[in-house]
Amino acid sequence: MADTITLDDLARVLTECAGADEETALDSGSLDVPFTDLGYDSLALLETAALIKQRYGAELSDDEVTEVRTPRDLLDRVNALRAATV
C-alpha cells in the first residue's frame, strides 16, 4: 500500500462515488478549485470519505468532511491521517 493517496486515486474514488464527466474530471489544475465548483456536493464527499476509509484506512469525521473545500485540502487531510498511523 502506498504511503499517500494521489490526485489520481482521489479522482477514481470520486468517480465511483459520484460519477464524473468532462466538466468534473480532476487534474492538477483543479487541486485548489472548490468541490462545489467541480460539481461535487456534500453527499458525494461523505460517500467519498467512506470509501477512502474502507480502501485506505484514513477516517475523517463528518465534521472534517464538511470542512474540506478543495481536492488539495482533502488529500492533505487524508495523507496526514495515513502518515500518523504508519
Side-chain angles (χ1 to χ4, degrees):
M1 178 185 317
D3 290 336
T4 61
I5 69 166
T6 66
L7 182 59
D8 289 338
D9 297 327
L10 177 58
R12 280 190 292 279
V13 171
L14 280 166
T15 299
E16 287 181 47
C17 291
D21 57 34
E22 290 178 11
E23 294 178 21
T24 59
L26 290 182
D27 59 28
S28 61
S30 57
L31 273 171
D32 297 311
V33 177
F35 279 113
T36 53
D37 292 353
L38 293 169
Y40 296 106
D41 62 12
S42 59
L43 179 59
L45 292 178
L46 287 169
E47 291 175 8
T48 297
L51 189 54
I52 285 172
K53 176 186 173 188
Q54 179 183 19
R55 276 210 190 132
Y56 302 101
E59 183 174 3
L60 295 168
S61 70
D62 289 350
D63 288 340
E64 288 176 301
V65 174
T66 59
E67 292 171 2
V68 169
R69 300 286 178 239
T70 66
R72 183 186 308 275
D73 190 21
L74 180 57
L75 286 170
D76 288 347
R77 288 176 190 239
V78 168
N79 286 323
L81 284 170
R82 288 176 51 81
T85 60
V86 173

